Amino acid sequence: MASSLSVPPTLVSDFAPTVPGFSCPALNLDAASVARARTLARNAAEEVQQFTASRTTVSVERTILRLLGVSGATADGQPLVNAVVDHLHSAGLLASGVARPFLTAALQHGMSPQVLAEQVAAERIDLRPVSEGAAPSPSDQKALLALGDQLGRAGLGRILAQRQTRDSQLQQLGCGTQPLRYVIVASGNIYEDVVQARVAARQGADVIAVIRSTGQSLLDFVPEGETTEGYGGTYATQANFRLMRKALDDVGAELGRYIRLCNYASGLCMPEIACLGGFERLDMMLNDALYGILFRDINMQRTLCDQRLSRRLSALAGLVINTGEDNYLTTADAVEAAHTVVASTLINEALARSSGLVTNQLGLGHAMEINPDFPGALTLEIAQAALLRHLFPGAPLKYMPPTKHMTGNVLRGHVQDTLFNLVGVLTGQGIQLLGMMTEAMHTPHIHDRYLALESAQMVFGGGAALGSQLQISAGGAIEARANETLAQALALLEDISAAGLRNALSRGLFADIARSPSGGRGLNGVAERAADYWDPCEELLQSELVRLGHLNADGGAQWPY
Amino acid sequence: MAVLTPEAAGLAGPAVALSGARGVDLTQVRAYGDTLDDGQVMLTFSLPVPFGDEAKEAGRQLVRQMGLHEPQVYHAHDLGEGFTYLILYAKSPFSVDFTKISVPKVTSTKLDHTAIERLWSGHYGNARLRVLGACTGDDAHTVGIDAILNYKGYHGDKGLESYKCFEIKNLGAQVPNEVLLQEARAFGAHAILVSQVVTQKDCHRSNLAALIDLAEAEEIRDQMLFLCGGPRLSHPIALELGFDAGFGPGTTPGAVASYLVQRWVELGRQP
């Protein structure tokens, strides 16, 4: 076993401070149901992780190349990692992993990974004969392992160094209090986004999420460079990450508050984006194990494999993941299907923990999208929000505002968002995605964000200690609704457990959407690992996650319950 | 400015049926705050100039250039980075002749679920109208198309899947126009429903127009009804883009179903 990387062990920084009295009122939940639901979710997760541990994907292999030091693109915009992986995959060599032929060739030619990748992309070096060649001599094998170890350490070390920088900046500057005020920028042009983000930070934003260009989740490559064209958002690229990081560091230093940056490790490039996010010190990532399967029709085998590595890297990076359960109810009915959100967050938690994410990295997302005209809508909202809060103690839950019921009456929308903020602060949520009054009409204008932040400031300031001052009536409507939703979630988890998660997905148990194991996009990029499969980063990553306390000594998940 | 009298306000004398608010001259309609013809309007925008008296004056001057009178800055806020946010009120002197206004509308009357099915079966018996739906281009927002097509529907109104007279196929999100037309042929679609939610840089318009161009090039434009819907669409825009009908925000499945069946009957086509 390799010795640990040079970075000393640190704990993940405490997520964000709270103001005195900030908490959720106690809620009397059926303890046996809670325990049973967690056990079922954990069993479902273990089955998935066994399935994924014996497979690899094109995006996993591209991530490994990035960790080994390959970056950039060809003159016509094809990322070098794609060129190398496609080169081997087209010859049916994905199952053994790209690392062995790639690093063997690096040794033979005496080239750095970057130069070698350029040569492969230019078709001047062919890796296929390397892959099919005779078994290496013991000394060649030793050199290969040593090179893999050296490069793997360097790649993972870049991520750890950024984690340390975040820790020290958080210590020096501090950050906003919970619920963190989370706003989006989505102009399509990274340079405009930077202006909008800096203004938002000055108006009180704690987290800037750069929404991706619509359709990026279905691209099987990560675009390169700083980009100025996008639809409904801005392309996630390493250069864009770096530019926004710098802008937020600058404005954060001026304001004396660390400003977090969020993007999307989702879609067909989930683990690559998590890796780039680690390199460029993103602080949060939208990262859901099931979302892409349900809402983007990405093949389930592909996404389940990809989420594993993306979450292991996010764990190492000290990133907070945000799951996307809010979207379930824009499809299914909010009042009738609330329990699917609860079941999904429990499964997302179990999958995340088994990949090494710990409590203060679990920004499990939820939103109920209850029609505000529904009688007692606010009571139901509070019941659901309190239920989630009590199911995941200590996790920085991300609470998301209604989008389905925005009408175009922007002033009414502002009131809906304000009520939603009140529920967020009352129930002790960790991250509040601030609704925009113009939601569903246009991507936010500069002052939409200011108005949302000003409103949140008023509600969070005035309501900070409400949760510790009010009680949920024993035997009342909130308690009853929370337990009813929990009971339905438990019944759904029993079904999922009996069928297995993959079968459950193909039966449409979530969000009324059915997906088959062989349907959807990206299946041809999945392979069962061959006996000679090799990934030089895998064991290093595992031992770092153990060393840093993300996993137990035996590699098992940290379960606080 | 007209002064509203007790008679005109309907406070004295017998109530009179009017087509506008009481006392209004429909040939000269102005914006209304609290007094007829006061022309009160609210404006809100940001300027890329630093906060201060100069920013407020810049706002006032801009509003005057819009032709508005007496601009007053109610609120100004320093956004930082050299931006200022403004809320202003002003008076608009302009009027419109309401009697001359003409807006193209979807002409079908809204029927209920049973009436729609009855109208259809009266003409076509057990045959069904095949409806193909999709979000096209890069658009990944299926909320709208799902609300119209899925059984569950929207706002208590069941979706097209719940009608006996429709056969529905929903292609979901991010469907290229080419694929949509291919699928339409394979399905033998009678009507195509396109949802467009993302509107950045007017991509919804170009994308919808491109679909009609393609359908014309493939000579199938007239074989099917083309409908579009979304938060920034309307019937006039749909007509302008070459569609048969367009539906804006808040449209219920019943409105779309009413249109489809009545239009098909009106055209006298066989399914």
Side-chain angles (χ1 to χ4, degrees), chain A residues 202-203 214 218 230 232 447, chain B residues 46 77 81 138 174 200 232:
Chain A
R202 289 182 192 282
Q203 299 305 318
T214 183
L218 301 182
H447 40 259
Chain B
S46 294
H77 179 82
E81 305 280 326
D138 280 339
Q174 299 179 330
Q200 201 172 45
R232 299 267 292 277

Side-chain angles (χ1 to χ4, degrees), chain A residues 265-397:
Chain A
S266 62
L268 288 167
C269 295
M270 202 183 246
E272 282 183 274
I273 298 209
C275 175
L276 295 174
F279 286 167
E280 303 301 335
R281 190 162 33 88
L282 271 76
D283 307 287
M284 287 187 192
M285 283 285 188
L286 276 285
N287 180 251
D288 191 297
L290 309 176
Y291 183 92
I293 303 168
L294 295 170
F295 297 102
R296 296 290 179 266
D297 198 14
I298 295 174
N299 175 264
M300 68 171 78
Q301 301 186 40
R302 172 72 179 265
T303 284
L304 291 173
C305 293
D306 284 349
Q307 61 88 27
R308 180 169 180 268
L309 179 58
S310 74
R311 287 169 167 202
R312 287 162 67 87
L313 289 171
S314 295
L316 184 74
L319 271 163
V320 172
I321 63 155
N322 294 172
T323 59
E325 278 83 359
D326 59 318
N327 274 272
Y328 286 23
L329 299 180
T330 58
T331 312
D333 182 81
V335 178
E336 289 166 25
H339 63 287
T340 63
V341 168
V342 177
S344 174
T345 46
L346 284 159
I347 291 170
N348 254 315
E349 179 200 24
L351 284 167
R353 286 191 187 278
S354 67
S355 296
L357 290 159
V358 292
T359 301
N360 59 7
Q361 295 182 291
L362 300 177
L364 299 165
H366 61 118
M368 294 307 164
E369 298 271 353
I370 295 168
N371 183 342
D373 294 329
F374 191 84
L378 210 50
T379 309
L380 295 180
E381 286 286 0
I382 292 170
Q384 309 282 157
L387 169 60
L388 270 287
R389 181 64 285 171
H390 286 285
L391 281 177
F392 306 103
L397 298 187

Side-chain angles (χ1 to χ4, degrees), chain A residues 186-188 195 198-199 202-203 214-215 218 229-233 296 330 333 440-443 446-447 450-451 512, chain B residues 45-46 75 77-81 83 85 138-141 143 146 152 155 173-174 198-201 203 231-232:
Chain A
S187 76
V195 172
R198 291 173 59 99
V199 167
R202 289 182 192 282
Q203 299 305 318
T214 183
L218 301 182
E229 278 286 317
Y231 294 97
R296 296 290 179 266
T330 58
D333 182 81
M441 301 313 289
H442 57 235
T443 47
I446 196 166
H447 40 259
Y450 144 63
L451 291 164
D512 292 343
Chain B
F45 51 85
S46 294
H75 177 67
H77 179 82
D78 184 358
L79 293 173
E81 305 280 326
F83 286 91
Y85 174 60
D138 280 339
D139 204 334
H141 300 75
V143 183
D146 290 343
K152 193 165 261 161
H155 229 274
Q174 299 179 330
V198 172
T199 55
Q200 201 172 45
K201 299 184 176 81
C203 65
R232 299 267 292 277

Side-chain angles (χ1 to χ4, degrees), chain A residues 63-350:
Chain A
T63 308
I64 294 164
L65 287 176
R66 288 186 186 276
L67 287 168
L68 297 177
V70 179
S71 65
T74 61
D76 57 4
Q78 186 191 31
L80 292 177
V81 292
N82 283 66
V84 174
V85 171
D86 291 356
H87 169 71
L88 288 165
H89 184 32
S90 63
L93 298 170
L94 181 64
S96 301
V98 296
R100 188 184 304 279
F102 186 74
L103 294 183
T104 303
L107 285 169
Q108 280 171 4
H109 296 279
M111 285 176 179
S112 70
Q114 183 67 20
V115 172
L116 175 61
E118 285 164 11
Q119 295 294 313
V120 173
E123 296 179 2
R124 284 197 285 268
I125 290 180
D126 190 344
L127 297 177
R128 289 167 298 188
V130 181
S131 176
E132 287 151 2
S137 69
S139 65
D140 286 352
Q141 177 68 9
K142 204 173 157 207
L144 181 65
L145 292 180
L147 182 62
D149 189 69
Q150 178 207 330
L151 295 172
R153 261 162 212 285
L156 296 172
R158 283 170 73 189
I159 294 176
L160 268 180
Q162 285 286 28
R163 172 172 171 166
Q164 278 202 313
T165 304
R166 180 194 302 113
D167 282 348
S168 72
Q169 288 210 16
L170 276 167
Q171 247 165 14
Q172 266 174 32
L173 294 174
C175 67
T177 54
Q178 296 187 51
L180 289 186
R181 294 122 178 103
Y182 173 117
V183 296
I184 64 164
V185 296
S187 76
N189 176 337
I190 190 64
Y191 307 114
E192 291 285 2
D193 282 351
V194 160
V195 172
Q196 303 259 328
R198 291 173 59 99
V199 167
R202 289 182 192 282
Q203 299 305 318
D206 299 310
V207 185
I208 303 293
V210 183
I211 301 299
R212 290 198 305 187
S213 182
T214 183
Q216 186 173 356
S217 59
L218 301 182
L219 298 181
D220 214 339
F221 64 94
V222 181
E224 280 284 328
E226 296 172 0
T227 65
T228 56
E229 278 286 317
Y231 294 97
T234 307
Y235 284 103
T237 71
Q238 187 172 4
N240 285 348
F241 286 180
R242 192 177 297 153
L243 202 67
M244 186 61 91
R245 175 75 274 161
K246 169 85 168 58
L248 297 185
D249 282 351
D250 290 348
V251 76
E254 191 188 321
L255 296 169
R257 204 170 84 242
Y258 185 71
I259 310 294
R260 287 178 163 91
L261 175 57
C262 178
N263 209 289
Y264 289 64
S266 62
L268 288 167
C269 295
M270 202 183 246
E272 282 183 274
I273 298 209
C275 175
L276 295 174
F279 286 167
E280 303 301 335
R281 190 162 33 88
L282 271 76
D283 307 287
M284 287 187 192
M285 283 285 188
L286 276 285
N287 180 251
D288 191 297
L290 309 176
Y291 183 92
I293 303 168
L294 295 170
F295 297 102
R296 296 290 179 266
D297 198 14
I298 295 174
N299 175 264
M300 68 171 78
Q301 301 186 40
R302 172 72 179 265
T303 284
L304 291 173
C305 293
D306 284 349
Q307 61 88 27
R308 180 169 180 268
L309 179 58
S310 74
R311 287 169 167 202
R312 287 162 67 87
L313 289 171
S314 295
L316 184 74
L319 271 163
V320 172
I321 63 155
N322 294 172
T323 59
E325 278 83 359
D326 59 318
N327 274 272
Y328 286 23
L329 299 180
T330 58
T331 312
D333 182 81
V335 178
E336 289 166 25
H339 63 287
T340 63
V341 168
V342 177
S344 174
T345 46
L346 284 159
I347 291 170
N348 254 315
E349 179 200 24

Side-chain angles (χ1 to χ4, degrees), chain A residues 444-502:
Chain A
H445 288 172
I446 196 166
H447 40 259
D448 297 342
R449 235 175 266 109
Y450 144 63
L451 291 164
L453 284 158
E454 184 181 58
S455 159
Q457 190 55 38
M458 186 169 63
V459 175
F460 294 170
L466 262 187
S468 66
Q469 296 304 309
L470 297 175
Q471 288 182 348
I472 292 172
S473 300
I478 291 176
E479 189 183 294
R481 169 67 180 174
N483 277 293
E484 181 197 350
T485 306
L486 174 62
Q488 290 170 340
L490 179 57
L492 176 58
L493 285 164
E494 296 278 5
D495 280 354
I496 291 165
S497 179
L501 181 61
R502 282 168 287 140

Side-chain angles (χ1 to χ4, degrees), chain B residues 1 5 69 73-74 121 157 200 213 262:
Chain B
M1 189 182 291
T5 62
H69 297 168
V73 175
Y74 279 25
S121 61
D157 192 31
Q200 201 172 45
D213 288 348
Q262 287 172 75

